Amino acid sequence: MIAVPDGEGISYYDDQGRAVVRHRECWLRCVMARNRNLLLTTYHSGEDDVLAATSWPDGAPVWQVRPAPRYANLLDGGVAVRDLGQGGFPVIDMIDPSGGAVTSYSIPLPAVPLVADGQRIYVGGVMSGAGQTRSVRFAALRRVPDVSGPPWLGGADPGRWPDACGLRPDASFTPAPVQTALSGYTMPKPIACRHTRPDGTELVVRVLWVADDDPDDAARMIDTLGDTYAFRPVDGVGDQAVADAALPSTVYFRSGPVVASMTSGHLPLRHRLLELAGFVAARLRGVDDDSRRGTAPPGAPSRRLTLVHLPGTRVTLAQPAVGPSPVAAYLLDGHPYVRERQTFTRLDPTMDALSPNGAWGARVTDAYPSHGRDPVTILDTATRSTRKVPTVEAPMGVDYPVWSPDGRNLLLTAKDAGTITGFVVIDLAAMRSRFVRIRHGGRYAGSFRWGADSSTVAVQSGQEDDIEEDQLDVTFFTLGGTVEHRYKDVGKLLDRQNWTSPSGRIFTTRCVRPAGQICAWRVEDGALLAQIPANPDSFVAWYDESHILGWTSLSSRDQDEAITILSFLGAPGGTLARARGHDGLQLIFARPT
């Protein structure tokens, strides 16, 4: 069988070259799978999504479900994978080949469904622990009969799930629900909640599962999570726990039959994450009784989303009705647009770069100076005032302004006749520049960019006098110009402003092998952590420590796109923005914590 896209549609051919099935309109993507003598396909018709069964290979229509759920994939064996957006475990629909009726099930671990065979579902996931070589782990799961409650919850009673917003580690956190759906079912209480402190640090508590009767089921779930992702066992957190690192960003734990997780990308909280998870695990035994009575935490802000059109563009942004927007500002053909209340206002002076909070802009001159010092223009977006700061002396010049993650310093690349001589740091508070010269400038190409902690900078490097296309190494410098790390053959660095993860522990490049993917590397030792099956040109920014933001196509029309949350497996999650083209647009995302 061969699938051939044709404009906005798709055709399926048999091995004789005969077009057996044609669909004229695909939504997001048309997907297909085989189930016995049927070809199962999804497509779009009018206002509906359609799931259809066609006899193979004669091509006779058998049945169709219209409207059908939005499916991310179809698996051989008659399994449809629901596209649920961000959060929760995968949900599958088992399709009855006789008429298309479905029964929904939850996959009880964060894995990718691969294929179905009778009563078994095979899933896979990437396993990579500290100091270990990455490997792929497969598991076989067996379907169980419905007992009581929604079948996609495995018969478990939804009323037993604790309220995640009631699981505050202490009173300094303000909770806000971020997820109420589990496995496609709307739960009576939030199952995931973002707990935020006044200083802006935050963590997310998620109730993953409540075992029906036997706590050993919950214990096996923790074992499976730890085994699948090579998380290390930790003591002192509930009855059982595993964490992703010595300084964890994620910890899975259980208290009796309740399995939960706590996640934070903010370093101050990561230092205490196990301690805070221990507080929540201890509270779990007493919270369930309160949650049964329907109590809710006081003052939890609404997490409803509003749609905001970005002026001057064909982009629509989804942002919380209450709380900060993920987009702090943007540049459109060089013009800054800064947030004012619930919209954005255009400022007249053109800029090359905006700080992560949109408070400052920077612009460099178009030509190298013939004399004097090359100036940089700094824009205060609040007062609309500008100031010129002199940098290096002619014949050197500066280019490629990049703001530090905290927005307090500006970094520029200094060159002389095209050869890198060093970098310039401008202290915003003092409005003064400092030039740092480096040795062997011919080994470096492109531009300097900040490490996420604002204490290091990095640049593409290679052998002396290499052409730029061959420089696939990356060198990290201290702010004094001393080489701290040099990693060979890691590939071309991505976006200058957003190339590192929120913690600064991971950086991204264009993979050398295989080409056309994004590689994630550990800053500490240059170890390859993930090869993300996403086009490097689609990269926008980091979302958290294990997800990135990327442009994805919504249809065969080139300009119909969205900014989607992508996991390290390349699986799409929630959508932050939709666009009909984004030429000349640079979105400035508030730095995740």
Side-chain angles (χ1 to χ4, degrees):
M1 182 190 308
I2 299 175
V4 179
D6 179 17
E8 295 185 3
I10 196 167
S11 298
Y12 297 97
Y13 293 82
D14 62 16
D15 55 6
Q16 303 299 316
R18 182 174 64 98
V20 179
V21 177
R22 283 195 176 98
H23 297 317
R24 290 183 296 178
E25 186 177 0
C26 285
W27 46 269
L28 286 182
R29 56 193 173 276
C30 284
V31 292
M32 66 88 180
R34 294 286 298 274
N35 185 19
R36 302 176 186 173
N37 63 336
L38 296 180
L39 173 67
L40 303 176
T41 56
T42 60
Y43 63 98
H44 197 75
S45 178
E47 298 298 322
D48 296 330
D49 300 328
V50 181
L51 170 67
T54 304
S55 178
W56 189 269
D58 60 296
V62 178
W63 50 257
Q64 68 171 225
V65 177
R66 175 176 181 166
R70 179 180 172 184
Y71 289 125
N73 199 8
L74 292 175
L75 308 180
D76 285 345
V79 174
V81 183
R82 285 183 178 262
D83 189 352
L84 294 178
Q86 181 190 9
F89 290 157
V91 174
I92 57 173
D93 283 356
M94 307 302 299
I95 303 170
D96 182 352
S98 65
V102 301
T103 303
S104 299
Y105 295 87
S106 174
I107 300 294
L109 70 161
V112 178
L114 301 173
V115 68
D117 181 16
Q119 295 296 313
R120 290 189 175 183
I121 306 295
Y122 294 89
V123 298
V126 175
M127 182 179 74
S128 178
Q132 296 181 354
T133 302
R134 291 188 315 135
S135 60
V136 177
R137 175 63 56 87
F138 296 100
L141 307 177
R142 180 174 55 86
R143 285 183 285 164
V144 296
D146 180 22
V147 180
S148 63
W152 46 90
L153 297 185
D157 178 8
R160 299 183 63 215
W161 259 255
D163 184 342
C165 289
L167 299 177
R168 287 189 291 177
D170 59 54
S172 67
F173 289 93
T174 300
V178 295
Q179 184 184 350
T180 57
L182 178 68
S183 305
Y185 178 79
T186 300
M187 303 292 281
K189 298 176 289 291
I191 63 166
C193 200
R194 179 177 289 107
H195 299 265
T196 307
R197 280 179 167 167
D199 62 0
T201 59
E202 64 181 25
L203 53 81
V204 175
V205 175
R206 187 183 303 275
V207 180
L208 299 175
W209 201 253
V210 179
D212 193 23
D213 293 311
D214 187 357
D216 287 344
D217 290 341
R220 281 191 291 270
M221 187 173 183
I222 294 291
D223 290 337
T224 300
L225 289 167
D227 186 42
T228 300
Y229 294 103
F231 283 11
R232 65 184 183 92
V234 293
D235 297 326
V237 181
D239 297 320
Q240 183 184 10
V242 293
D244 61 346
L247 183 63
S249 60
T250 299
V251 55
Y252 294 114
F253 57 94
R254 73 173 180 90
S255 182
V258 180
V259 178
S261 69
M262 181 180 290
T263 302
S264 179
H266 200 277
L267 283 176
L269 292 183
R270 290 181 61 189
H271 282 285
R272 298 188 58 214
L273 199 65
L274 295 180
E275 177 188 5
L276 297 173
F279 294 157
V280 169
R283 287 170 54 85
L284 266 171
R285 297 187 183 278
V287 167
D288 190 55
D289 290 338
D290 290 337
S291 63
R292 287 175 188 268
R293 294 193 291 268
T295 59
S302 168
R303 298 300 295 179
R304 292 181 299 107
L305 294 179
T306 60
L307 299 181
V308 176
H309 172 71
L310 301 186
T313 75
R314 293 191 292 175
V315 177
T316 300
L317 172 71
Q319 68 177 38
V322 177
S325 166
V327 174
Y330 60 96
L331 286 171
L332 182 61
D333 296 326
H335 287 280
Y337 285 74
V338 297
R339 175 168 291 282
E340 291 186 344
R341 297 180 181 177
Q342 292 302 310
T343 187
F344 294 86
T345 300
R346 170 176 159 160
L347 306 185
D348 288 332
T350 59
M351 291 286 124
D352 297 318
L354 291 176
S355 63
N357 59 4
W360 301 92
R363 183 181 72 242
V364 298
T365 55
D366 295 331
Y368 278 61
S370 58
H371 63 277
R373 293 181 177 272
D374 196 9
V376 174
T377 300
I378 305 293
L379 168 68
D380 183 337
T381 62
T383 64
R384 276 51 165 179
S385 61
T386 60
R387 179 171 175 176
K388 291 186 181 295
V389 179
T391 61
V392 294
E393 293 187 16
M396 287 192 296
V398 293
D399 206 349
Y400 306 115
V402 183
W403 289 97
S404 62
D406 58 14
R408 298 177 181 177
N409 295 278
L410 183 67
L411 176 69
L412 303 111
T413 302
K415 293 185 178 181
D416 185 353
T419 299
I420 289 179
T421 56
F423 56 89
V424 173
V425 176
I426 295 179
D427 182 346
L428 197 63
M431 285 292 176
R432 291 181 180 177
S433 65
R434 180 172 65 93
F435 171 58
V436 180
R437 185 179 293 275
I438 63 171
R439 301 176 60 190
H440 307 295
R443 293 180 180 175
Y444 306 105
S447 61
F448 282 93
R449 69 276 318 278
W450 290 100
D453 58 0
S454 302
S455 65
T456 58
V457 297
V459 68
Q460 206 83 56
S461 59
Q463 297 299 314
E464 191 83 35
D465 299 325
D466 272 354
I467 59 173
E468 185 171 339
E469 286 73 13
D470 289 336
Q471 291 178 314
L472 301 177
D473 304 344
V474 173
T475 300
F476 287 79
F477 291 86
T478 67
L479 296 187
T482 302
V483 172
E484 188 170 77
H485 304 293
R486 180 173 286 138
Y487 301 129
K488 298 187 68 64
D489 203 31
V490 295
K492 289 292 184 181
L493 294 169
L494 295 185
D495 181 272
R496 287 193 299 272
Q497 189 70 62
N498 300 299
W499 69 299
T500 61
S501 66
S503 71
R505 299 176 62 203
I506 307 171
F507 68 95
T508 48
T509 68
R510 295 173 177 269
C511 294
V512 179
R513 290 171 296 274
Q517 294 190 4
I518 296 173
C519 280
W521 308 84
R522 189 161 50 207
V523 172
E524 181 183 9
D525 56 8
L528 178 62
L529 299 179
Q531 292 174 223
I532 307 171
N535 185 345
D537 292 330
S538 71
F539 179 81
V540 175
W542 281 78
Y543 181 73
D544 59 24
E545 285 296 303
S546 58
H547 294 80
I548 61 173
L549 298 175
W551 286 105
T552 57
S553 177
L554 294 177
S555 72
S556 58
R557 293 186 292 270
D558 292 339
Q559 292 189 326
D560 195 6
E561 298 172 298
I563 294 179
T564 304
I565 303 168
L566 301 173
S567 73
F568 275 13
L569 295 176
T575 297
L576 296 188
R578 294 179 180 268
R580 295 297 303 276
H582 60 277
D583 291 344
L585 175 66
Q586 179 186 353
L587 295 171
I588 310 300
F589 282 87
R591 191 72 179 178
T593 58

